[in-house]
């Protein structure tokens, strides 16, 4: 039972006596309890397992309240409550998730800004874009800022 609703799962008991239960749950983010009970059990014994479902994070959007979808290449999202991913801004490349990587000669003022600015000193904005695009971690936002070289 989850949130007063019955769910039927598939289980398999191995030779060692351990029962593996395979259930798929789709619920709103938050804290929930799953109550396990055996059918045809005269003792009415139950086991309660806590379930914590996280909400969407930057780089994901929620088209329905109980799902999170990762933004694909060419799009991004800094706001997990959005229902769709944003188009990549001009003068940047978006490898997906929350990443917005300025093109060579451009920079962003912060990891949460979608504004991409032309660098007044092009030599100051020559970061390694190949590394950023190939190895961009999902939870990191890198800023290429040329202000200290102007």
């Amino acid at each position: 039972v989850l949130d007063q609703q019955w769910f039927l799962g598939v289980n398999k008991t191995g030779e060692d006596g351990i029962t593996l239960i395979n259930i798929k749950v789709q619920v709103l983010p938050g804290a929930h309890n799953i109550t396990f009970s055996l059918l045809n059990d005269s003792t009415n014994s139950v086991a309660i397992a806590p379930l914590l479902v996280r909400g969407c994070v930057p780089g994901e959007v929620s088209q329905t309240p109980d799902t999170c979808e990762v933004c694909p290449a060419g799009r991004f999202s800094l706001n997990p409550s959005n229902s769709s991913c944003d188009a990549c801004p001009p003068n940047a490349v978006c490898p997906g998730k929350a990443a917005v990587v300025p093109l060579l000669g451009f920079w962003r003022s912060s990891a949460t800004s979608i504004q991409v600015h032309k660098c007044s000193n092009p030599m100051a904005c020559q970061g390694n874009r190949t590394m950023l695009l190939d190895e961009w971690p999902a939870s990191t936002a890198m800023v290429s800022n040329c202000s200290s070289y102007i």
Side-chain angles (χ1 to χ4, degrees):
V1 179
L2 174 64
D3 294 335
Q4 310 304 321
Q5 295 181 9
W6 285 91
F7 288 87
L8 184 60
V10 177
N11 63 35
K12 179 180 179 181
T13 302
E15 292 177 11
D16 55 6
I18 296 175
T19 301
L20 302 175
I21 301 173
N22 183 13
I23 59 173
K24 182 177 180 180
V25 178
Q26 189 170 347
V27 294
L28 295 174
H32 303 274
N33 285 319
I34 300 177
T35 303
F36 295 94
S37 61
L38 298 174
L39 298 176
N40 302 323
D41 179 21
S42 61
T43 65
N44 293 326
S45 58
V46 298
I48 298 175
L51 173 67
L52 182 61
V53 178
R54 72 163 177 85
C56 297
V57 296
E60 299 175 342
V61 293
S62 180
Q63 292 183 357
T64 61
D66 56 359
T67 61
C68 295
E69 297 178 22
V70 175
C71 292
R75 304 186 70 77
F76 75 101
S77 175
L78 300 176
N79 184 350
S81 64
N82 284 352
S83 61
S84 63
C85 300
D86 297 311
C88 196
N91 304 311
V93 175
C94 296
K97 301 181 182 174
V100 177
V101 181
L103 294 176
L104 193 60
F106 293 86
W107 64 282
R108 289 171 57 201
S109 60
S110 79
T112 58
S113 171
I114 62 169
Q115 295 181 345
V116 179
H117 307 279
K118 185 167 181 59
C119 190
S120 59
N121 179 355
M123 295 300 291
C125 294
Q126 293 187 7
N128 185 344
R129 299 310 193 263
T130 303
M131 181 273 308
L132 289 174
L133 293 173
D134 290 344
E135 301 176 17
W136 192 272
S139 62
T140 304
M142 185 112 169
V143 177
S144 175
N145 189 335
C146 61
S147 60
S148 61
Y149 296 96
I150 297 175

